[in-house]
Amino acid sequence: MKRQSDDKGIGELALRVLALDIGAGTCDVYLHEEGTEPENCPRMVLPSPTRVLARRVRQAAREHTALFLRGWTVGGGPLSRAVTEALSQGVAVLAEERAAFTFRNRLEEVRTMGVEVASERPAGFRGAEILLDELDLAPLLRLLSDWGHPAKPLTAVAAAVQDHGTPAPGQSHRRARLAWMRERLEEDPDPLSLAFPGDRVPGHFPRMTSAAARLREQLPEEVLVLLMDTAPAAVAGCLAEPRVASRAEGNVLLVNAGNGHTLAALLKSGKVCALLEHHTRRL
């Protein structure tokens, strides 16, 4: 995040940025405080919310014959597998529309899984209700405050989440995801062009749209909300590393080998000229 004036009025405020990378295994947290060396800024690695929610679903499925999932669009992975297990055990699973996008980016595919998409909790429902939420900032800010970093005003909250987007009928999620990246980078080859202010997230990214709304409802209007996909966020982050930055005017190959996806980008003078992504297990 650059220190400059913009349409949110950040101007010359001291930067205090809370950054979160929510992956399939972990949630990585970093609080950047201007004037503090990066290695001395608070950071932590927490279990990914999808793993925590998966445990709750499995526990509830052992105790109830029906589950109602409400809240936000969050990461699938372990949570999706837990819901599939519950369905296979004969547990009825209902989900609000926004929560249902957690499992597939097309609601007809969610229904094909066996999940009933409901506008609200049915009257007389006797099962377990589970809130899907991966961006509740309150406990995180309390923890930081308890460890000597009180809740001073934030300049921005930046969140990285993986979002395949909603593909056209018959199109694979991976191909759609690459097509959207290519389209965006052809307009602007800067890796940071794949970052979106919270009010400008393209509508075909349901998880990022949901994340932006969740953050916005918790933060003052003047706090910038920024969303980016986890893989290009890691690649863009490499450019901030001093040794990489010193060579950025040449040809640079940057690779993010994640648990789920591996993304590689070839950059020349800081601009993306080639991109590759595939499932890590396939490589």
Side-chain angles (χ1 to χ4, degrees):
M1 178 179 170
K2 297 177 181 177
R3 180 186 173 88
Q4 60 184 22
S5 297
D6 63 13
D7 57 3
K8 289 290 183 181
I10 291 175
E12 293 304 313
L13 289 176
L15 292 179
R16 193 166 188 264
V17 182
L18 179 64
L20 305 100
D21 183 305
I22 304 176
T26 62
C27 174
D28 299 83
V29 181
Y30 173 65
L31 179 64
H32 174 77
E33 297 181 298
E34 190 171 28
T36 302
E37 291 297 322
E39 58 267 27
N40 293 328
C41 288
R43 70 196 68 191
M44 64 188 82
V45 180
L46 304 171
S48 180
T50 184
R51 293 186 177 273
V52 176
L53 290 166
R55 288 196 294 270
R56 292 178 187 168
V57 165
R58 289 191 174 99
Q59 179 64 36
R62 286 193 288 267
E63 300 171 355
H64 301 273
T65 58
L67 307 178
F68 179 65
L69 311 178
R70 64 177 185 88
W72 306 88
T73 306
V74 302
L79 175 57
S80 293
R81 290 191 287 274
V83 167
T84 300
E85 290 171 15
L87 290 166
S88 70
Q89 295 161 8
V91 176
V93 179
L94 298 81
E96 288 181 338
E97 183 174 300
R98 185 163 54 188
F101 280 114
T102 294
F103 311 112
R104 296 286 190 278
N105 283 357
R106 298 180 67 84
L107 290 180
E108 54 266 36
E109 294 180 12
V110 176
R111 295 185 179 97
T112 300
M113 289 174 58
V115 175
E116 180 182 340
V117 181
S119 58
E120 59 184 12
R121 176 176 172 146
F125 181 81
R126 296 183 178 278
E129 182 175 303
I130 298 175
L131 173 66
L132 303 191
D133 187 0
E134 63 185 5
L135 283 165
D136 182 3
L137 299 182
L140 189 57
L141 294 176
R142 282 198 302 271
L143 178 62
L144 288 168
S145 180
D146 288 345
W147 285 91
H149 296 270
K152 301 175 187 176
L154 291 168
T155 312
V157 175
V161 300
Q162 188 177 91
D163 192 336
H164 286 75
T166 305
Q171 185 181 32
S172 77
H173 288 79
R174 191 177 66 87
R175 289 183 182 276
R177 173 182 167 83
L178 285 167
W180 285 317
M181 286 188 194
R182 177 174 180 166
E183 179 182 356
R184 183 81 171 176
L185 290 169
E186 285 178 342
E187 295 174 357
D188 180 359
D190 187 324
L192 288 175
S193 71
L194 296 171
F196 304 100
D199 58 353
R200 300 179 200 165
V201 177
H204 53 254
F205 291 125
R207 186 180 177 194
M208 279 199 278
T209 299
S210 176
R214 178 65 176 118
L215 290 173
R216 188 76 278 158
E217 74 169 21
Q218 300 175 81
L219 297 167
E221 185 178 354
E222 64 271 16
V223 177
L224 176 68
V225 170
L226 193 69
L227 275 298
M228 194 170 185
D229 191 280
T230 50
V235 167
C238 290
L239 294 174
E241 203 284 325
R243 289 166 295 181
V244 177
S246 68
R247 294 166 171 79
E249 291 305 309
N251 298 325
V252 182
L253 177 64
L254 303 175
V255 181
N256 175 47
N259 291 326
H261 288 197
T262 292
L263 184 142
L266 183 64
L267 284 78
K268 183 174 183 178
S269 300
K271 306 300 182 183
V272 178
C273 53
L275 188 74
L276 173 150
E277 186 182 53
H278 208 347
H279 295 289
T280 300
R281 67 179 181 274
R282 297 290 187 185
L283 298 173

Short mmCIF file of all heavy atoms in Angstrom, two decimals, residues 71-113:
data_model
loop_
_atom_site.label_atom_id
_atom_site.label_comp_id
_atom_site.label_asym_id
_atom_site.label_seq_id
_atom_site.Cartn_x
_atom_site.Cartn_y
_atom_site.Cartn_z
N GLY A 71 -24.80 -16.55 7.30
CA GLY A 71 -23.67 -15.64 7.42
C GLY A 71 -23.06 -15.24 6.10
O GLY A 71 -23.76 -14.74 5.22
N TRP A 72 -21.78 -15.56 5.94
CA TRP A 72 -20.98 -14.98 4.87
C TRP A 72 -20.42 -16.08 3.96
O TRP A 72 -20.41 -17.25 4.32
CB TRP A 72 -19.85 -14.14 5.46
CG TRP A 72 -20.36 -13.12 6.41
CD1 TRP A 72 -20.58 -13.28 7.75
CD2 TRP A 72 -20.80 -11.80 6.09
NE1 TRP A 72 -21.12 -12.14 8.29
CE2 TRP A 72 -21.26 -11.20 7.30
CE3 TRP A 72 -20.84 -11.05 4.92
CZ2 TRP A 72 -21.74 -9.90 7.35
CZ3 TRP A 72 -21.32 -9.74 4.98
CH2 TRP A 72 -21.76 -9.19 6.17
N THR A 73 -19.92 -15.66 2.81
CA THR A 73 -19.21 -16.58 1.93
C THR A 73 -17.78 -16.70 2.44
O THR A 73 -17.07 -15.70 2.54
CB THR A 73 -19.19 -16.05 0.49
OG1 THR A 73 -20.52 -15.77 0.06
CG2 THR A 73 -18.56 -17.06 -0.45
N VAL A 74 -17.36 -17.91 2.78
CA VAL A 74 -16.03 -18.13 3.36
C VAL A 74 -15.31 -19.18 2.53
O VAL A 74 -15.84 -19.72 1.56
CB VAL A 74 -16.13 -18.56 4.84
CG1 VAL A 74 -16.87 -17.52 5.65
CG2 VAL A 74 -16.81 -19.92 4.98
N GLY A 75 -14.08 -19.50 2.94
CA GLY A 75 -13.32 -20.51 2.22
C GLY A 75 -13.93 -21.89 2.39
O GLY A 75 -14.40 -22.25 3.47
N GLY A 76 -13.93 -22.66 1.32
CA GLY A 76 -14.51 -24.01 1.35
C GLY A 76 -13.51 -25.01 1.89
O GLY A 76 -13.21 -25.05 3.08
N GLY A 77 -12.93 -25.84 1.01
CA GLY A 77 -11.91 -26.79 1.43
C GLY A 77 -12.39 -27.70 2.55
O GLY A 77 -13.37 -28.45 2.37
N PRO A 78 -11.75 -27.66 3.74
CA PRO A 78 -12.16 -28.54 4.85
C PRO A 78 -13.63 -28.38 5.22
O PRO A 78 -14.30 -29.36 5.56
CB PRO A 78 -11.25 -28.07 5.99
CG PRO A 78 -10.03 -27.56 5.31
CD PRO A 78 -10.54 -26.89 4.06
N LEU A 79 -14.16 -27.16 5.16
CA LEU A 79 -15.57 -26.94 5.48
C LEU A 79 -16.47 -27.64 4.47
O LEU A 79 -17.46 -28.29 4.86
CB LEU A 79 -15.87 -25.45 5.52
CG LEU A 79 -17.33 -25.04 5.73
CD1 LEU A 79 -17.90 -25.64 7.02
CD2 LEU A 79 -17.46 -23.53 5.74
N SER A 80 -16.14 -27.53 3.20
CA SER A 80 -16.94 -28.22 2.17
C SER A 80 -16.93 -29.72 2.39
O SER A 80 -17.96 -30.39 2.24
CB SER A 80 -16.39 -27.88 0.78
OG SER A 80 -16.59 -26.52 0.48
N ARG A 81 -15.76 -30.26 2.73
CA ARG A 81 -15.67 -31.71 2.97
C ARG A 81 -16.50 -32.12 4.18
O ARG A 81 -17.14 -33.18 4.18
CB ARG A 81 -14.21 -32.12 3.13
CG ARG A 81 -13.41 -32.04 1.84
CD ARG A 81 -12.04 -32.69 1.97
NE ARG A 81 -11.13 -31.89 2.77
CZ ARG A 81 -10.37 -30.90 2.29
NH1 ARG A 81 -10.46 -30.57 1.01
NH2 ARG A 81 -9.54 -30.24 3.07
N ALA A 82 -16.51 -31.30 5.22
CA ALA A 82 -17.30 -31.61 6.41
C ALA A 82 -18.80 -31.61 6.08
O ALA A 82 -19.56 -32.46 6.57
CB ALA A 82 -17.00 -30.62 7.52
N VAL A 83 -19.24 -30.67 5.26
CA VAL A 83 -20.65 -30.62 4.85
C VAL A 83 -20.99 -31.83 4.00
O VAL A 83 -22.07 -32.44 4.17
CB VAL A 83 -20.94 -29.30 4.11
CG1 VAL A 83 -22.29 -29.36 3.40
CG2 VAL A 83 -20.89 -28.12 5.07
N THR A 84 -20.11 -32.22 3.09
CA THR A 84 -20.34 -33.40 2.26
C THR A 84 -20.47 -34.65 3.12
O THR A 84 -21.34 -35.51 2.88
CB THR A 84 -19.20 -33.57 1.24
OG1 THR A 84 -19.15 -32.40 0.40
CG2 THR A 84 -19.42 -34.79 0.37
N GLU A 85 -19.62 -34.75 4.14
CA GLU A 85 -19.71 -35.90 5.06
C GLU A 85 -21.05 -35.90 5.78
O GLU A 85 -21.68 -36.96 5.94
CB GLU A 85 -18.57 -35.82 6.09
CG GLU A 85 -17.19 -36.09 5.53
CD GLU A 85 -16.11 -35.79 6.55
OE1 GLU A 85 -16.44 -35.65 7.76
OE2 GLU A 85 -14.93 -35.67 6.15
N ALA A 86 -21.49 -34.75 6.25
CA ALA A 86 -22.76 -34.66 6.96
C ALA A 86 -23.91 -35.10 6.06
O ALA A 86 -24.81 -35.86 6.47
CB ALA A 86 -22.99 -33.24 7.46
N LEU A 87 -23.89 -34.66 4.81
CA LEU A 87 -24.93 -35.05 3.86
C LEU A 87 -24.93 -36.55 3.64
O LEU A 87 -25.99 -37.19 3.57
CB LEU A 87 -24.73 -34.32 2.53
CG LEU A 87 -25.01 -32.81 2.55
CD1 LEU A 87 -24.45 -32.15 1.29
CD2 LEU A 87 -26.51 -32.53 2.65
N SER A 88 -23.74 -37.15 3.54
CA SER A 88 -23.64 -38.59 3.31
C SER A 88 -24.14 -39.40 4.51
O SER A 88 -24.51 -40.57 4.37
CB SER A 88 -22.19 -38.98 2.99
OG SER A 88 -21.37 -38.84 4.14
N GLN A 89 -24.18 -38.76 5.68
CA GLN A 89 -24.67 -39.42 6.89
C GLN A 89 -26.17 -39.20 7.11
O GLN A 89 -26.72 -39.61 8.13
CB GLN A 89 -23.89 -38.89 8.11
CG GLN A 89 -22.41 -39.23 8.08
CD GLN A 89 -21.58 -38.35 9.00
OE1 GLN A 89 -22.12 -37.57 9.79
NE2 GLN A 89 -20.26 -38.46 8.89
N GLY A 90 -26.79 -38.55 6.13
CA GLY A 90 -28.23 -38.33 6.22
C GLY A 90 -28.64 -37.07 6.95
O GLY A 90 -29.83 -36.89 7.24
N VAL A 91 -27.69 -36.20 7.24
CA VAL A 91 -28.00 -34.94 7.90
C VAL A 91 -28.47 -33.94 6.85
O VAL A 91 -27.81 -33.75 5.82
CB VAL A 91 -26.76 -34.38 8.64
CG1 VAL A 91 -27.06 -33.02 9.26
CG2 VAL A 91 -26.30 -35.37 9.71
N ALA A 92 -29.59 -33.31 7.08
CA ALA A 92 -30.09 -32.28 6.17
C ALA A 92 -29.30 -30.99 6.37
O ALA A 92 -29.06 -30.58 7.51
CB ALA A 92 -31.58 -32.03 6.41
N VAL A 93 -28.86 -30.39 5.28
CA VAL A 93 -28.08 -29.15 5.35
C VAL A 93 -28.80 -28.06 4.57
O VAL A 93 -29.08 -28.22 3.38
CB VAL A 93 -26.65 -29.34 4.80
CG1 VAL A 93 -25.88 -28.02 4.89
CG2 VAL A 93 -25.91 -30.43 5.57
N LEU A 94 -29.11 -26.98 5.24
CA LEU A 94 -29.72 -25.81 4.63
C LEU A 94 -28.74 -24.65 4.75
O LEU A 94 -27.97 -24.56 5.72
CB LEU A 94 -31.03 -25.43 5.30
CG LEU A 94 -32.19 -26.43 5.28
CD1 LEU A 94 -32.03 -27.50 6.36
CD2 LEU A 94 -33.52 -25.70 5.48
N ALA A 95 -28.74 -23.73 3.78
CA ALA A 95 -27.82 -22.61 3.82
C ALA A 95 -28.46 -21.38 3.22
O ALA A 95 -29.17 -21.46 2.22
CB ALA A 95 -26.53 -22.95 3.06
N GLU A 96 -28.21 -20.22 3.86
CA GLU A 96 -28.58 -18.96 3.25
C GLU A 96 -27.80 -18.80 1.95
O GLU A 96 -26.70 -19.36 1.79
CB GLU A 96 -28.25 -17.79 4.17
CG GLU A 96 -29.15 -17.67 5.39
CD GLU A 96 -28.78 -16.48 6.25
OE1 GLU A 96 -27.61 -16.01 6.15
OE2 GLU A 96 -29.63 -16.03 7.02
N GLU A 97 -28.34 -17.99 1.04
CA GLU A 97 -27.72 -17.86 -0.28
C GLU A 97 -26.26 -17.42 -0.19
O GLU A 97 -25.39 -18.01 -0.82
CB GLU A 97 -28.51 -16.88 -1.14
CG GLU A 97 -27.96 -16.75 -2.56
CD GLU A 97 -28.83 -15.91 -3.44
OE1 GLU A 97 -30.01 -16.26 -3.65
OE2 GLU A 97 -28.33 -14.86 -3.94
N ARG A 98 -25.98 -16.38 0.59
CA ARG A 98 -24.61 -15.90 0.66
C ARG A 98 -23.69 -16.96 1.26
O ARG A 98 -22.55 -17.15 0.79
CB ARG A 98 -24.54 -14.60 1.48
CG ARG A 98 -23.17 -13.98 1.51
CD ARG A 98 -23.21 -12.52 1.97
NE ARG A 98 -23.90 -12.37 3.24
CZ ARG A 98 -24.20 -11.19 3.77
NH1 ARG A 98 -23.89 -10.08 3.13
NH2 ARG A 98 -24.81 -11.10 4.93
N ALA A 99 -24.15 -17.67 2.27
CA ALA A 99 -23.34 -18.75 2.86
C ALA A 99 -23.16 -19.90 1.88
O ALA A 99 -22.11 -20.55 1.85
CB ALA A 99 -23.99 -19.25 4.14
N ALA A 100 -24.17 -20.15 1.04
CA ALA A 100 -24.12 -21.27 0.10
C ALA A 100 -23.01 -21.11 -0.93
O ALA A 100 -22.46 -22.10 -1.43
CB ALA A 100 -25.47 -21.42 -0.59
N PHE A 101 -22.66 -19.86 -1.27
CA PHE A 101 -21.58 -19.64 -2.25
C PHE A 101 -20.23 -20.13 -1.72
O PHE A 101 -19.26 -20.19 -2.48
CB PHE A 101 -21.51 -18.16 -2.62
CG PHE A 101 -22.53 -17.73 -3.64
CD1 PHE A 101 -23.54 -16.85 -3.29
CD2 PHE A 101 -22.48 -18.21 -4.94
CE1 PHE A 101 -24.48 -16.44 -4.23
CE2 PHE A 101 -23.42 -17.82 -5.89
CZ PHE A 101 -24.42 -16.94 -5.54
N THR A 102 -20.15 -20.46 -0.44
CA THR A 102 -18.94 -21.06 0.11
C THR A 102 -18.59 -22.36 -0.60
O THR A 102 -17.40 -22.67 -0.81
CB THR A 102 -19.15 -21.34 1.62
OG1 THR A 102 -19.29 -20.09 2.30
CG2 THR A 102 -17.98 -22.12 2.21
N PHE A 103 -19.59 -23.12 -1.01
CA PHE A 103 -19.36 -24.48 -1.50
C PHE A 103 -19.22 -24.55 -3.02
O PHE A 103 -18.47 -25.38 -3.52
CB PHE A 103 -20.50 -25.38 -1.02
CG PHE A 103 -20.75 -25.23 0.45
CD1 PHE A 103 -21.91 -24.64 0.93
CD2 PHE A 103 -19.78 -25.61 1.36
CE1 PHE A 103 -22.11 -24.47 2.29
CE2 PHE A 103 -19.97 -25.44 2.72
CZ PHE A 103 -21.14 -24.86 3.19
N ARG A 104 -19.91 -23.73 -3.73
CA ARG A 104 -19.77 -23.63 -5.18
C ARG A 104 -20.13 -22.20 -5.57
O ARG A 104 -20.93 -21.56 -4.91
CB ARG A 104 -20.71 -24.59 -5.92
CG ARG A 104 -20.47 -26.07 -5.69
CD ARG A 104 -19.22 -26.57 -6.43
NE ARG A 104 -19.13 -28.02 -6.38
CZ ARG A 104 -18.65 -28.73 -5.38
NH1 ARG A 104 -18.22 -28.10 -4.29
NH2 ARG A 104 -18.59 -30.05 -5.44
N ASN A 105 -19.58 -21.73 -6.67
CA ASN A 105 -19.88 -20.38 -7.09
C ASN A 105 -21.09 -20.29 -8.00
O ASN A 105 -21.39 -19.22 -8.54
CB ASN A 105 -18.66 -19.76 -7.78
CG ASN A 105 -17.61 -19.32 -6.78
OD1 ASN A 105 -17.81 -19.43 -5.58
ND2 ASN A 105 -16.48 -18.84 -7.25
N ARG A 106 -21.79 -21.40 -8.16
CA ARG A 106 -23.07 -21.43 -8.86
C ARG A 106 -24.06 -22.17 -7.95
O ARG A 106 -23.81 -23.31 -7.54
CB ARG A 106 -22.96 -22.12 -10.22
CG ARG A 106 -22.00 -21.43 -11.18
CD ARG A 106 -21.92 -22.17 -12.51
NE ARG A 106 -23.19 -22.09 -13.21
CZ ARG A 106 -23.55 -21.07 -13.99
NH1 ARG A 106 -22.74 -20.05 -14.16
NH2 ARG A 106 -24.71 -21.06 -14.59
N LEU A 107 -25.19 -21.52 -7.65
CA LEU A 107 -26.12 -22.09 -6.67
C LEU A 107 -26.74 -23.40 -7.15
O LEU A 107 -27.06 -24.27 -6.34
CB LEU A 107 -27.22 -21.08 -6.34
CG LEU A 107 -26.75 -19.86 -5.53
CD1 LEU A 107 -27.93 -18.93 -5.25
CD2 LEU A 107 -26.09 -20.28 -4.23
N GLU A 108 -26.88 -23.58 -8.47
CA GLU A 108 -27.43 -24.85 -8.95
C GLU A 108 -26.49 -26.01 -8.61
O GLU A 108 -26.94 -27.14 -8.35
CB GLU A 108 -27.72 -24.80 -10.45
CG GLU A 108 -26.58 -24.38 -11.33
CD GLU A 108 -26.58 -22.89 -11.63
OE1 GLU A 108 -26.95 -22.11 -10.73
OE2 GLU A 108 -26.21 -22.52 -12.77
N GLU A 109 -25.18 -25.73 -8.58
CA GLU A 109 -24.22 -26.78 -8.20
C GLU A 109 -24.31 -27.05 -6.70
O GLU A 109 -24.10 -28.19 -6.27
CB GLU A 109 -22.81 -26.36 -8.59
CG GLU A 109 -22.60 -26.25 -10.10
CD GLU A 109 -21.18 -25.82 -10.45
OE1 GLU A 109 -20.31 -25.82 -9.55
OE2 GLU A 109 -20.95 -25.47 -11.62
N VAL A 110 -24.58 -26.02 -5.92
CA VAL A 110 -24.76 -26.22 -4.47
C VAL A 110 -25.95 -27.13 -4.22
O VAL A 110 -25.89 -28.06 -3.40
CB VAL A 110 -24.95 -24.86 -3.76
CG1 VAL A 110 -25.23 -25.07 -2.27
CG2 VAL A 110 -23.74 -23.97 -3.95
N ARG A 111 -27.04 -26.88 -4.94
CA ARG A 111 -28.23 -27.72 -4.77
C ARG A 111 -27.96 -29.15 -5.23
O ARG A 111 -28.46 -30.11 -4.63
CB ARG A 111 -29.39 -27.12 -5.56
CG ARG A 111 -29.84 -25.75 -5.02
CD ARG A 111 -31.08 -25.23 -5.75
NE ARG A 111 -31.52 -23.96 -5.24
CZ ARG A 111 -31.20 -22.77 -5.77
NH1 ARG A 111 -30.44 -22.71 -6.87
NH2 ARG A 111 -31.64 -21.65 -5.23
N THR A 112 -27.14 -29.31 -6.27
CA THR A 112 -26.78 -30.65 -6.74
C THR A 112 -26.02 -31.42 -5.67
O THR A 112 -26.13 -32.64 -5.57
CB THR A 112 -25.94 -30.55 -8.03
OG1 THR A 112 -26.71 -29.89 -9.04
CG2 THR A 112 -25.55 -31.93 -8.54
N MET A 113 -25.24 -30.72 -4.85
CA MET A 113 -24.55 -31.36 -3.73
C MET A 113 -25.53 -31.97 -2.73
O MET A 113 -25.18 -32.90 -2.00
CB MET A 113 -23.70 -30.34 -2.96
CG MET A 113 -22.47 -29.83 -3.64
SD MET A 113 -21.72 -28.51 -2.62
CE MET A 113 -21.43 -29.35 -1.05
#
